Amino acid sequence: MQVTRRGVLVGVAAAGGLAALYTLAPRDYAIPLDPADGETAFDAWIKIATDGMVTVAVPQLEMGQGVTTLIPQVVAMELGADWRQIAVQAAPVSGAYANTVLAAEWAPLWMPVAGGLAEDADDFLVRRFAGRERFTATANGTSLAAYEQPCRDAAASVRALLCMAAADRWGVDWEECRTENGFVIHDAERLRFGDLAEEAAGFVPPDPPPVFSKPPADTPAVPSGPGFGEETNAWPRLDLPAKVDGTWQFAGDVRLPGLVYAAIKHGPLDKAELTAFNRSAAADMRGVVGIVEGKRWLAAVAETSWLAERAVEAMSPRFSVMRLVDSEAIAVALSDAELNGTGTVVATRGQGAEGFGKTDLALRYEIAPALHGQIEPTTATAWYRDGTLELWLASQAPEQARRAAAKAAGVALEDTILYPMPAGGSFDRRLEHGHAIEAAVIAREIGRPVQLTWSRFQEHLAGYPRTPASLLLSARHGDEGTITKLKMRASLPATAREFGERLFGNATSWSAIENTAGEADPMALAGAMPPYAIPDVSITHVPAAIDLPTARMRGNAHGYTCFAIESFIDELARRHDRDPLSYRMALLGQDLRLAECMQRASRLAAWDGGSAGSGQGLACHVIGGARIAAIANAQPGEGGVRVKSIHAAVDIGRVVNRDIARQQLEGGLVFGIGLAVGCSTDYRDGLPTSQRLGDLNLPTLADSPEITVDFVDSTLPPADPGEIGVAVAAPAIANALFSATGLRLRRLPLLSAGL
């Protein structure tokens, strides 16, 4: 048999050899899947057991978005497997699973000097970086874009191998065979995958892989029976049963022999140093195992988490601080940057701001710092023994967390093992890895397996928020309000670059701030370019020097740029007595996909023109290949004005799993509601004023409106549904509140007391 590069990739997997990853720079990777007895491993993605169970490796963090269903579904559809026999394995950290799509999007962060040389996932520099750094980060909704084709290639190759093994037994051409529900079929003959797997690994698959011409897609659900009104779902979530019965394991569920528990106290923001504490207050407590001093934190370790929390509290640690974060100082810095700062144009259309002339309308929109508000506490388990460090934690960037922990604990990287755990919710919070560093250091000092859990106050203190910002929008327009020129002057820190310094440079929070001071950051203003055909647009970033470390959050910059743009558009429409829907349609230009979304949303919501008192508010947005139009309905009720419903029409291209897409869109809208009414905090003397989860004014089930989502059928490449709902929720609600009350709110969160 002729051996091809593809053959090397698949054929040696069963023998535990090396996989030549042909999609990256030429390099060999050890086969990351370790087959158990009775299993045959095919490349980095698929194992098949003798009982027919097909195990699919998933290199992305499951944090509620359903990636442990999406990736196996792609494999199952291409392989012809039985969905009831699909299992999932969290993939170990390996260059074989490099996320080149995200690496290309984040090239300005890991290669800030020449990021323009690595703008495409197929660029050599991107492939080399992602493979060498084992970059498998979960972010920006890139899971399908990065892994759908490799999974289809792998599944198609395994399908061909199974057919070859069956055809060899039957004495027929393998191309005459097909797969269905876990069987290889030829006329009346059929054989189970499990009966063929071991033989199949000895064949060489065709190169290129024989993928089906029709890509994976989920058809609209249909009634399961006459009169029942129930819908069938051909691809139910694989993680759902375990989450319902409580057997789904999170980082806080890890139990090891001799496990002890750690509680921690951090110093005020930012750059605090531990100076004193009352050791004797905890040393004599029965059940206290040890006390560990970090340079900027203090931890107590005990037999129970409750006792550890009592012990660290009793020691009353004190810190010296070189600078204290304060909300008033942040507001002054943003205002000073807006008035006096030197800005950099980060995006233009047409002539930009050239010849702008006299402004017809200028409005400012303010964004307060927003906390992630994830319900699952920050948790990491670490075990240091015999020179080896083992970590159990949820991480959106596992290799970067592993490297940081190894360096902090003084352990060789090759002796550091990270076991990826799912997250109950992340919203990009798990892109940070401070807890991994702390758990590693504590475990090294204690000499026993340690589970570190941050209290909610420590989460709000040491977990960095989404950036505050001040966005000034100015426009020139004609007599009927048609915009001819638009410019945005945005004052905020270089928040994306700051995050990149921490993730890729392992910089401290204050070093990241100092290293990016005064830098323009286009990623910090993603989504600022409006989707409307305004001839001349200019987007300027004015770097603001604030001492508050800032981080990524679900929706990221789109969460505040869309709020400013869509609120501004709405204000212009109403100042000229224009229907906000028809006004937007007139501005839209050639984006027929967004026009379709607007028309569908208006039909769903029975749009009446958004007239005064109607309580209807519209917002639209575009993120990559995804488009959305949403109409919120706000009505006066007991305790004030409440959002009763949100109707959204969405075009996310080809829908791979309709159920998950709907869940993500609904979840994104609810998360956006949280950002609209809460999730915020002030800072005084380096401490957050919102110290408990209840302080964040998060929407409860009773606060959540009725949500209707309509998908536009499309054959375009799939786009992420998880972020775009976040972007439109706040402006749709703000516009609805104006329609209901005549009150225009230009600051997020909109109402400190909720809706």
Side-chain angles (χ1 to χ4, degrees):
M1 297 183 293
Q2 181 182 1
V3 178
T4 65
R5 296 186 69 192
R6 183 69 191 175
V8 173
L9 176 64
V10 178
V12 302
L18 298 177
L21 203 64
Y22 63 92
T23 57
L24 299 177
R27 182 170 180 179
D28 289 341
Y29 295 93
I31 292 296
L33 294 185
D34 185 16
D37 290 342
E39 286 186 330
T40 301
F42 297 87
D43 69 26
W45 295 100
I46 300 169
K47 296 189 296 184
I48 300 179
T50 54
D51 63 0
M53 185 66 67
V54 178
T55 300
V56 180
V58 176
Q60 297 276 273
L61 173 65
E62 175 60 74
M63 46 188 174
Q65 83 280 36
V67 71
T68 49
T69 295
L70 278 174
I71 289 179
Q73 179 188 337
V74 170
V75 169
M77 295 179 81
E78 190 70 46
L79 182 61
D82 187 337
W83 189 241
R84 296 167 297 181
Q85 290 186 288
I86 294 290
V88 177
Q89 176 177 331
V93 177
S94 170
Y97 304 109
N99 187 342
T100 56
V101 173
L102 184 61
E105 292 182 11
W106 283 2
L109 304 183
W110 54 265
M111 195 170 63
V113 176
L117 298 178
E119 295 179 331
D120 189 272
D122 291 327
D123 289 344
F124 172 78
L125 290 176
V126 171
R127 291 183 285 121
R128 187 181 68 173
F129 164 82
R132 183 189 64 216
E133 299 298 316
R134 301 176 182 177
F135 183 70
T136 61
T138 309
N140 279 25
T142 56
S143 294
L144 274 177
Y147 297 112
E148 182 184 53
Q149 195 58 49
C151 284
R152 291 189 67 195
D153 288 345
S157 294
V158 174
R159 171 166 44 82
L161 291 172
L162 292 168
C163 288
M164 288 176 180
D168 188 59
R169 290 193 188 185
W170 296 329
V172 299
D173 189 336
W174 74 268
E175 292 175 318
E176 297 176 4
C177 301
R178 61 185 175 88
T179 59
E180 183 179 331
N181 293 328
F183 288 88
V184 178
I185 302 171
H186 181 268
D187 292 336
E189 302 282 351
R190 62 173 52 208
L191 286 169
R192 297 185 315 134
F193 285 0
D195 296 332
L196 296 167
E198 188 173 354
E199 294 174 49
F203 288 84
V204 177
D207 188 4
V211 295
F212 293 134
S213 59
K214 187 176 181 180
D218 194 0
T219 57
V222 296
S224 59
F228 290 95
E230 297 178 357
E231 294 181 340
T232 60
N233 179 13
W235 311 100
R237 289 183 64 142
L238 296 178
D239 56 343
L240 192 58
K243 287 181 175 178
V244 170
D245 65 22
T247 57
W248 187 261
Q249 296 289 297
F250 297 98
D253 297 317
V254 173
R255 295 295 180 266
L256 299 169
L259 180 70
V260 289
Y261 301 86
I264 197 166
K265 272 187 170 292
H266 301 90
L269 291 175
D270 193 27
K271 205 175 182 179
E273 291 191 14
L274 180 66
T275 55
F277 62 95
N278 184 1
R279 180 183 291 271
S280 61
D284 296 333
M285 286 185 178
R286 176 176 291 185
V288 172
V289 174
I291 298 165
V292 181
E293 303 174 48
K295 187 174 183 180
R296 309 182 193 283
W297 48 265
L298 178 68
V301 184
E303 297 291 344
T304 68
S305 57
W306 178 79
L307 182 56
E309 194 66 46
R310 278 190 60 203
V312 75
E313 194 73 35
M315 289 188 287
S316 302
R318 294 184 291 278
F319 299 87
S320 65
V321 186
M322 295 185 62
R323 58 191 184 194
L324 288 171
V325 172
D326 184 86
S327 289
E328 291 186 7
I330 291 172
V332 170
L334 292 175
S335 177
D336 181 65
E338 180 184 304
L339 295 173
N340 306 310
T342 301
T344 299
V345 176
V346 296
T348 61
R349 180 191 295 158
Q351 295 182 343
E354 184 179 344
F356 194 88
K358 183 180 178 181
T359 296
D360 291 319
L361 179 65
L363 297 171
R364 177 183 295 104
Y365 299 88
E366 297 178 346
I367 313 297
L371 298 173
H372 296 76
Q374 79 281 3
I375 296 176
E376 182 186 16
T378 294
T379 305
T381 301
W383 194 355
Y384 178 77
R385 52 178 172 165
D386 302 326
T388 298
L389 174 65
E390 296 176 272
L391 296 161
W392 291 260
L393 73 153
S395 175
Q396 289 178 248
E399 178 63 4
Q400 285 63 45
R402 186 174 78 105
R403 292 185 180 207
K407 182 178 179 181
V411 179
L413 185 61
E414 58 268 23
D415 294 327
T416 303
I417 305 166
L418 188 148
Y419 303 101
M421 303 295 294
S426 176
F427 318 127
D428 281 355
R429 176 69 184 88
R430 298 291 169 240
L431 283 167
E432 307 287 344
H433 47 245
H435 60 307
I437 293 172
E438 295 163 355
V441 171
I442 295 168
R444 182 196 63 193
E445 295 301 310
I446 295 298
R448 292 173 63 175
V450 174
Q451 187 168 99
L452 169 68
T453 302
W454 289 8
S455 69
R456 183 58 59 177
F457 173 64
Q458 294 303 312
E459 174 66 39
H460 290 186
L461 170 61
Y464 310 137
R466 187 185 69 179
T467 184
S470 176
L471 310 174
L472 178 64
L473 272 73
S474 306
R476 292 291 309 274
H477 57 73
D479 293 338
E480 296 184 353
T482 302
I483 307 173
T484 57
K485 292 181 180 292
L486 177 72
K487 62 182 179 181
M488 175 188 289
R489 182 175 170 87
S491 305
L492 68 160
T495 178
R497 290 190 180 276
E498 181 186 322
F499 157 74
E501 287 279 323
R502 293 195 302 269
L503 183 67
F504 297 112
N506 200 25
T508 59
S509 57
W510 53 91
S511 294
I513 292 173
E514 292 165 0
N515 294 346
T516 58
E519 289 188 2
D521 189 353
M523 291 176 64
L525 290 173
M529 184 62 69
Y532 308 104
I534 301 169
D536 301 322
V537 182
S538 175
I539 310 297
T540 298
H541 177 208
V542 186
I546 65 174
D547 293 332
L548 175 67
T550 60
R552 291 179 60 84
M553 176 180 284
R554 185 177 186 179
N556 293 295
H558 296 273
Y560 48 84
T561 57
C562 178
F563 170 69
I565 290 290
E566 285 300 287
S567 297
F568 188 72
I569 294 293
D570 203 74
E571 295 205 49
L572 272 167
R574 295 183 185 278
R575 284 169 186 256
H576 291 84
D577 296 322
R578 300 278 299 275
D579 174 349
L581 173 62
S582 62
Y583 181 75
R584 285 173 169 83
M585 292 288 284
L587 289 174
L588 200 53
Q590 300 301 312
D591 195 334
L592 300 181
R593 295 174 64 197
L594 187 54
E596 173 70 11
C597 290
M598 286 194 212
Q599 291 173 343
R600 288 193 180 210
S602 67
R603 290 194 294 269
L604 285 173
W607 175 259
D608 67 353
S611 57
S614 70
Q616 290 186 320
L618 169 66
C620 310
H621 198 55
V622 174
I623 300 180
R627 283 152 175 76
I628 188 171
I631 295 176
N633 191 309
Q635 298 294 335
E638 184 179 351
V641 179
R642 305 187 69 84
V643 176
K644 296 294 186 180
S645 64
I646 296 180
H647 295 82
V650 189
D651 185 342
I652 56 169
R654 171 168 46 89
V655 179
V656 176
N657 188 303
R658 195 166 293 265
D659 231 31
I660 289 177
R662 189 178 303 278
Q663 292 164 17
Q664 281 293 285
L665 283 158
E666 292 174 351
L669 287 166
V670 172
F671 190 84
I673 293 170
L675 293 173
V677 301
C679 290
S680 184
T681 185
D682 287 330
Y683 291 88
R684 295 195 188 101
D685 297 328
L687 303 177
T689 57
S690 297
Q691 300 186 358
R692 301 176 303 164
L693 195 62
D695 295 336
L696 296 184
N697 194 40
L698 297 173
T700 64
L701 186 60
D703 298 320
S704 300
E706 178 184 351
I707 296 175
T708 304
V709 176
D710 183 25
F711 291 101
V712 177
D713 290 332
S714 173
T715 58
L716 293 172
D720 172 51
E723 309 269 316
I724 198 162
V726 179
V728 295
I733 291 171
N735 295 337
L737 288 174
F738 176 80
S739 174
T741 67
L743 177 65
R744 177 61 69 178
L745 301 170
R746 302 191 184 102
R747 187 178 191 274
L748 285 181
L750 300 171
L751 296 171
S752 59
L755 298 179

